[in-house]
Amino acid sequence: MLRNDKVRAARKTRGMTETLAPGTFSSRVKSVVPPVQNLDTAGRAVPNQACRKTAVAEHSENSNDGSPPKRTQRLGDFELKRKLGKGGMGEVFLARQTSLDRLVALKTLSKELAKREDFVQRFQREAKSMAKLDHPNIVKVYAVDTFKGLHFAAIEYIDGKSAQDWLDQLEKLEISDATHIALICAEGLRHAHELNMVHRDIKPDNILITSKGIVKVADFGLAKAMDEDVSMTQSGTGLGTPLYMAPEQARNAKHVDQRSDIYALGATLYHLLTGRLPYCGTSTLELIMAKERGIYPSAKSLRPDIPEKLDLIIDKMMAKDPAHRYKNCELLIRDLSALGLHSSVLSFIEGAEPVSVVLSGAQTVVGGMTNVSPTARTSKSVARKSRADSNARTQLATTPSRVWFVQFENSEGDPVVEKHSTGRILKMIAAGILTAKARGKATADGTYLPLAQFPEFTEAIEKQLARQTAAVRKEDLNSLYSKVAKAEANRHKWRTAKNFLRNLVGATSLIIWIGVILVVGGLLFVYGGELVKSAAGSLGFDLPADSSSNNSAGEVEQ
């Protein structure tokens, strides 16, 4: 017993830093911390719901006590802090990059996958491609390297929870929060799609929300770098998660495009809003067959307060035929932003930082990034939109954020009073929900004044009035052109009818005159001789007898 105590004391006084020998990494760390559930790229544990357990039975359900390792271990420039969990590719650790003094999530390859040279090359190739993604709403890849035969990738560490964690806690999100998350994810996907990268596994588990309320898309590509012989039921495969994946992805995961990500984002938005999955089955095959039928309860039928337009957008995102979905995320961002439902701050994050999601004409500013529509391609229009974007960002940056009491008429014409932040009111003005008739006050005991009298909203109201004036002028011109065209059409019709009547009258008159002439001529032919004799007798003239009649008389005398 005494000997054992001495051994433990000697080990305790031994140096805390130990360099790993090849092949000893996984076994040593496993002995320190038990395995956990499946993880996303940033090392977040993936919780499982009842339907997710039945549909994807392969998900691990072990727990992680989060205790730090007893010994500090290193992988080159990275000092391991503790094991975060285990995913489909390997293990994930919290580490500190000593050269830059920052925390990262270190994702390693398992021994089995590391033996396959083709997979290792693909892992490194896709990690380098992911490193090109530079967007505030996408989890970054810092490095990919090999240390004594162990392959790993250093990824941005997210101090927060996944959207799935919040769903498990809240059951469903507010409409403003769900549309906020969907918009920012769509902006991150748009950036990736421009670089010809498809996520293929969008789901609440892969949407991370920091402690400050910043939304980030995780697990971009690394977890899908599996070869074709890896089963779909293994966590983290290239086929994605059957609960959210598009039908065509289940048929052939290698031939998918950005519309598959839009489908998965639509299923995720549906889940965030309703707390339920659009499709559910007791097996993966049953789930895929249900998606092939394409029949699911609408989000509005499960949650009546969802606006009709938002419900239609979700249906378009989840259309069974890819040709019927949004062609790209830019069109999706345009329609979602136009609703004006998204919030600038996530309500369930205490102390969250406001994020600008402003619609400006054909240009959308989401999470600080600018998205220009495909129609604005000329240098003049791009310059004009850039100035508008700069003005919008300057206004948001210089406008202090506060809560206002706003009095306005809703879409049904009923007067309502609501509390909104400065950024939210600016978005509502841009979307046309609030007009110049709206009134506001900064305190509960203050006096309602027109929003245009507050410096924070003066410019936004003036721009709205300018747009309305231009629209009225355009409408007046269109109305004038319509009246001129209508008058010209009527004049043409009257001219045609008048000419027809004139021609008809002329033809009728000619026919009548011809008839009169024929009648008169016929009467003269039949009764002309008698009329002449009668007229001559009345005038006292003796007409010579007819030769034929004279001959007849002579014959009688003889």
Side-chain angles (χ1 to χ4, degrees):
M1 187 69 179
L2 181 60
R3 179 178 178 79
N4 292 336
D5 293 338
K6 290 182 179 180
V7 171
R8 282 194 293 269
R11 288 177 178 174
K12 199 169 187 180
T13 56
R14 189 178 302 170
M16 298 300 294
T17 302
E18 177 183 355
T19 302
L20 295 177
T24 62
F25 179 75
S26 298
S27 59
R28 292 189 179 182
V29 179
K30 286 180 180 178
S31 63
V32 175
V33 182
V36 300
Q37 297 173 332
N38 296 315
L39 299 181
D40 51 35
T41 302
R44 310 306 308 174
V46 177
N48 292 299
Q49 294 178 338
C51 181
R52 295 161 66 213
K53 290 179 182 178
T54 58
V56 193
E58 66 279 7
H59 281 193
S60 171
E61 299 182 14
N62 298 326
S63 61
N64 182 14
D65 58 8
S67 59
K70 296 179 180 179
R71 297 183 180 181
T72 301
Q73 299 171 330
R74 300 179 63 89
L75 286 178
D77 189 29
F78 300 94
E79 180 182 287
L80 303 184
K81 294 293 186 180
R82 69 175 184 271
K83 180 178 176 180
L84 296 174
K86 183 177 182 180
M89 296 175 61
E91 297 171 318
V92 182
F93 300 88
L94 175 64
R96 184 176 69 88
Q97 189 175 7
T98 56
S99 60
L100 298 178
D101 192 21
R102 63 180 176 187
L103 292 177
V104 299
L106 211 63
K107 191 162 189 177
T108 65
L109 274 180
S110 64
K111 292 182 179 180
E112 293 76 12
L113 294 177
K115 296 176 181 178
R116 300 168 54 183
E117 185 62 27
D118 56 341
F119 181 80
V120 172
Q121 293 178 359
R122 187 173 179 181
F123 171 82
Q124 294 176 345
R125 182 174 62 253
E126 295 204 9
K128 292 177 181 178
S129 298
M130 282 181 56
K132 298 178 182 178
L133 295 176
D134 186 12
H135 193 279
N137 303 116
I138 295 179
V139 175
K140 295 180 176 61
V141 175
Y142 295 137
V144 58
D145 202 353
T146 302
F147 184 78
K148 295 187 176 182
L150 185 64
H151 304 277
F152 63 90
I155 303 166
E156 179 183 5
Y157 175 69
I158 304 300
D159 180 18
K161 298 180 180 180
S162 69
Q164 184 62 58
D165 293 332
W166 284 110
L167 266 180
D168 294 339
Q169 180 177 338
L170 303 174
E171 294 186 354
K172 60 184 177 182
L173 304 185
E174 295 294 332
I175 295 177
S176 58
D177 293 333
T179 51
H180 172 103
I181 293 173
L183 261 175
I184 293 185
C185 289
E187 171 61 20
L189 289 172
R190 181 198 63 81
H191 173 72
H193 294 164
E194 288 181 350
L195 298 177
N196 296 322
M197 292 190 66
V198 182
H199 191 288
R200 295 192 293 177
D201 197 16
I202 291 294
K203 57 183 178 180
D205 289 319
N206 286 336
I207 299 174
L208 306 185
I209 304 173
T210 69
S211 56
K212 295 183 179 180
I214 300 175
V215 179
K216 290 180 178 284
V217 181
D219 208 9
F220 237 112
L222 286 181
K224 275 81 66 184
M226 291 290 180
D227 289 345
E228 291 75 5
D229 59 346
V230 179
S231 171
M232 186 180 65
T233 58
Q234 180 177 347
S235 172
T237 65
L239 291 177
T241 304
L243 294 170
Y244 303 91
M245 75 165 62
E248 69 273 12
Q249 186 173 343
R251 293 190 295 266
N252 190 342
K254 295 181 64 177
H255 297 87
V256 295
D257 56 20
Q258 54 191 351
R259 294 172 297 180
S260 299
D261 282 350
I262 292 176
Y263 181 100
L265 183 60
T268 298
L269 177 57
Y270 183 103
H271 195 181
L272 296 178
L273 288 169
T274 66
R276 291 178 51 181
L277 290 159
Y279 298 100
C280 191
T282 58
S283 66
T284 300
L285 179 60
E286 182 179 336
L287 183 66
I288 293 174
M289 291 178 64
K291 290 189 176 185
E292 289 292 344
R293 290 190 293 270
I295 301 175
Y296 62 93
S298 67
K300 188 172 180 62
S301 66
L302 300 178
R303 185 173 179 177
D305 60 333
I306 293 178
E308 185 71 28
K309 291 184 178 179
L310 179 58
D311 192 39
L312 293 175
I313 289 175
I314 295 174
D315 288 343
K316 187 173 182 180
M317 295 172 70
M318 294 181 59
K320 182 177 68 172
D321 187 352
H324 298 159
R325 298 179 207 149
Y326 286 97
K327 295 181 180 179
N328 51 59
C329 286
E330 196 159 0
L331 298 176
L332 172 60
I333 292 171
R334 181 200 63 188
D335 286 358
L336 275 179
S337 299
L339 296 179
L341 298 173
H342 49 277
S343 60
S344 59
V345 178
L346 293 177
S347 62
F348 54 86
I349 300 290
E350 185 176 356
E353 296 180 351
V355 179
S356 61
V357 186
V358 181
L359 181 67
S360 177
Q363 190 176 41
T364 306
V365 182
V366 183
M369 300 299 294
T370 302
N371 178 23
V372 182
S373 68
T375 57
R377 296 305 183 191
T378 64
S379 58
K380 183 177 180 180
S381 62
V382 171
R384 181 171 61 253
K385 292 180 183 299
S386 298
R387 289 194 297 270
D389 174 40
S390 177
N391 294 336
R393 284 184 292 181
T394 301
Q395 182 179 4
L396 286 174
T398 57
T399 301
S401 179
R402 64 168 72 175
V403 176
W404 299 79
F405 296 85
V406 186
Q407 185 183 62
F408 64 101
E409 291 185 356
N410 58 18
S411 58
E412 299 177 355
D414 299 327
V416 295
V417 175
E418 296 179 356
K419 293 172 62 177
H420 295 292
S421 65
T422 304
R424 174 68 175 172
I425 294 176
L426 289 173
K427 289 185 294 184
M428 294 174 71
I429 294 174
I433 300 175
L434 295 180
T435 64
K437 297 180 180 180
R439 305 168 68 84
K441 59 182 181 180
T443 59
D445 54 353
T447 303
Y448 281 106
L449 297 173
L451 290 180
Q453 295 188 16
F454 296 99
E456 293 88 342
F457 312 119
T458 302
E459 184 179 355
I461 292 293
E462 290 177 351
K463 289 182 179 180
Q464 185 189 70
L465 292 175
R467 289 195 300 269
Q468 291 176 350
T469 302
V472 170
R473 290 177 180 174
K474 184 177 180 181
E475 184 177 357
D476 291 342
L477 288 175
N478 291 337
S479 177
L480 179 60
Y481 291 148
S482 177
K483 290 180 180 179
V484 170
K486 186 176 181 180
E488 183 63 24
N490 291 336
R491 186 160 48 254
H492 177 72
K493 291 179 181 179
W494 172 245
R495 187 184 301 113
T496 302
K498 188 176 180 181
N499 291 337
F500 175 76
L501 290 174
R502 185 185 295 114
N503 294 335
L504 181 62
V505 170
T508 305
S509 300
L510 179 61
I511 292 173
I512 293 174
W513 279 110
I514 292 174
V516 170
I517 293 173
L518 291 175
V519 170
V520 172
L523 292 175
L524 290 175
F525 178 78
V526 175
Y527 303 105
E530 294 180 1
L531 290 175
V532 170
K533 290 179 181 181
S534 175
S538 63
L539 293 175
F541 293 101
D542 293 332
L543 294 175
D546 189 16
S547 58
S548 60
S549 60
N550 290 338
N551 292 334
S552 300
E555 292 177 357
V556 170
E557 291 177 356
Q558 291 176 359

